[in-house]
Amino acid sequence: MENAFFLLSQTIFNQLRIQRICHRLSKILEVHSILANRSSVLAQSDQSNPAMADSAQPLRIGFVPEHFSTPLYFAQKYFGLAATLIPFPSGTGHMITAIRSGEIDVGIGLTEAWVAGLGKEDTPGDGGYRIVGTYVETPLGWAISTGAKRPEITSVSSLKGSKIGISRLGSGSQVMGYVLADQQGWLTPGASPYADFVILQNFLNLRNAVNDGTADFFMWEHFTSKRYYDSGEIRRVGEIYTPWSSWKIVAATGLLPGGNPEPRLQDLFKKLDEGVKYFAEHHDEAVKYISTELDYSEADAREWLRTVEFATKTEGVDLKVIQSCVDILKKAGVLTEGKGLQPESMLAKGLGAQFP
């Protein structure tokens, strides 16, 4: 009798347990169905308007944390530029990788690197970005440096066939190496003008490399290098200037739906113009910021101010500048005729293309 009662109670308990489990499964499936429907609606919404998902977020702007970044700093500090500023001390080549991988939305970097990134025959997909603005109107002075104790390197001519240190493949430091070789008459079809391109990521590694023999020389912006000439860490061999205005602004193609700029991009130009104007009118404050927050002496910061001219209207690009850059990079062997994007295609409708 007791066994029968026990078996009956166990049967009832198991039935109730099964019912509870079924009820829970039913609720889980219901919630899953709701979430699936919601995801489907959001996906359809994003497909109909690719910019919608991120348009309310601050722009992620890549920049090189050097003296040239001062107007950008002022734009955020004084004029409400809604952006996350992401430093790239290794330079423009790193920003190209970042903008293509979706890590940043906008990049402010060197003209020759942006152009080479879009003009090479192995440019992936649509290139990932377009040149949309002008940041600096003046050329860039590249200092050519070697180690402090490298007596065998006596002049620029002694660098032929040597090991050149670069930050990254496709960076300005690599591209200008070819421009230097072209100017010096070192280019031979089918042969490299250098024994090796030694990838070193950043300025510190480049300085160390020319002292320990990993590389023989490298090129970096003059005033950024000057402090290390003064300290005796590295030695100046020569210099080379870009034959074009030195800094451009690019935007990810996702910010240009149908070729039209997103409102956040237009706001960036407006605030950046205000930052440039403030910079021009407050040189003492600019010098204080550069000499205390960045790696420059006050004297070098003041000297640099005499050499640089920022664009008063940052929106837009002179197509002739891009064409000239492409022509020289083809001559230097960086770009190949008929390969990669053509100059007009590197710009954005309504922005760069409006300044032919």
Side-chain angles (χ1 to χ4, degrees):
M1 185 73 174
E2 289 180 358
N3 287 337
F5 178 77
F6 175 77
L7 290 173
L8 178 63
S9 62
Q10 283 292 103
T11 300
I12 294 172
F13 175 78
N14 287 336
Q15 288 177 341
L16 291 172
R17 186 179 180 187
I18 290 170
Q19 287 177 357
R20 284 197 297 271
I21 291 172
C22 290
H23 180 71
R24 287 176 182 172
L25 285 172
S26 175
K27 287 294 184 182
I28 290 171
L29 290 171
E30 182 180 348
V31 171
H32 184 271
S33 176
I34 292 171
L35 290 175
N37 288 335
R38 182 181 178 187
S39 297
S40 176
V41 170
L42 288 173
Q44 291 175 5
S45 175
D46 287 347
Q47 289 172 2
S48 63
N49 186 358
M52 182 179 292
D54 297 319
S55 61
Q57 299 298 318
L59 285 174
R60 298 164 299 167
I61 301 176
F63 73 103
V64 181
E66 295 175 357
H67 44 338
F68 286 97
S69 66
T70 308
L72 177 64
Y73 165 76
F74 286 156
Q76 186 171 65
K77 181 176 181 179
Y78 294 118
F79 302 104
L81 172 62
T84 301
L85 304 184
I86 303 174
F88 285 81
S90 54
T92 311
H94 191 182
M95 277 190 274
I96 291 174
T97 302
I99 201 167
R100 284 175 174 163
S101 64
E103 297 172 47
I104 59 174
D105 306 302
V106 171
I108 301 177
L110 298 176
T111 303
E112 57 270 20
W114 295 132
V115 170
L118 292 175
K120 288 184 177 178
E121 56 186 310
D122 59 353
T123 298
D126 66 358
Y129 63 89
R130 291 294 181 271
I131 306 171
V132 296
T134 301
Y135 187 55
V136 177
E137 295 283 10
T138 41
L140 186 73
W142 287 84
I144 304 170
S145 305
T146 190
K149 298 178 180 179
R150 300 293 298 274
E152 75 279 15
I153 297 174
T154 58
S155 64
V156 171
S157 61
S158 65
L159 299 174
K160 181 180 179 180
S162 63
K163 296 177 292 184
I164 177 174
I166 62 173
S167 58
R168 282 174 173 253
L169 293 175
S171 65
S173 57
Q174 183 192 28
V175 171
M176 289 304 296
Y178 282 106
V179 175
L180 176 67
D182 178 48
Q183 290 187 1
Q184 295 293 318
W186 299 341
L187 293 178
T188 302
S192 174
Y194 304 108
D196 193 13
F197 287 93
V198 185
I199 302 171
L200 294 160
Q201 305 298 334
N202 57 50
F203 187 39
L204 173 61
N205 292 344
L206 287 163
R207 300 197 310 272
N208 290 338
V210 293
N211 280 309
D212 66 22
T214 303
D216 296 315
F217 81 101
F218 70 89
M219 294 188 290
W220 211 256
E221 193 271 334
H222 168 74
F223 286 99
T224 308
S225 305
K226 186 176 179 298
R227 165 169 286 197
Y228 300 94
Y229 297 149
D230 296 342
S231 71
E233 181 178 332
I234 55 176
R235 179 166 56 87
R236 183 180 179 277
V237 180
E239 64 185 11
I240 181 174
Y241 285 85
T242 60
W244 44 72
S245 57
S246 52
W247 293 74
K248 297 289 181 288
I249 304 165
V250 305
T253 50
L255 290 179
L256 304 161
N260 298 311
E262 209 188 84
R264 289 183 299 168
L265 198 54
Q266 296 287 11
D267 183 66
L268 166 63
F269 291 131
K270 179 177 180 242
K271 301 295 173 56
L272 200 50
D273 288 351
E274 291 175 314
V276 168
K277 186 172 185 292
Y278 186 90
F279 170 87
E281 295 171 351
H282 297 82
H283 275 185
D284 286 344
E285 183 178 352
V287 167
K288 183 178 179 181
Y289 171 72
I290 293 167
S291 61
T292 58
E293 299 299 325
L294 303 173
D295 193 20
Y296 304 85
S297 69
E298 180 176 336
D300 286 347
R302 290 195 182 280
E303 182 63 24
W304 169 70
L305 286 174
R306 298 174 53 200
T307 70
V308 67
E309 180 184 346
F310 286 88
T312 55
K313 180 177 175 57
T314 54
E315 178 185 334
V317 183
D318 186 341
L319 179 59
K320 294 190 296 296
V321 171
I322 305 303
Q323 182 66 65
S324 172
C325 185
V326 167
D327 291 343
I328 292 173
L329 294 184
K330 284 178 180 176
K331 185 172 182 287
V334 177
L335 302 181
T336 303
E337 188 69 43
K339 304 291 186 179
L341 296 185
Q342 299 308 300
E344 295 85 352
S345 301
M346 296 180 183
L347 309 182
K349 294 178 182 178
L351 288 173
Q354 70 187 11
F355 296 104

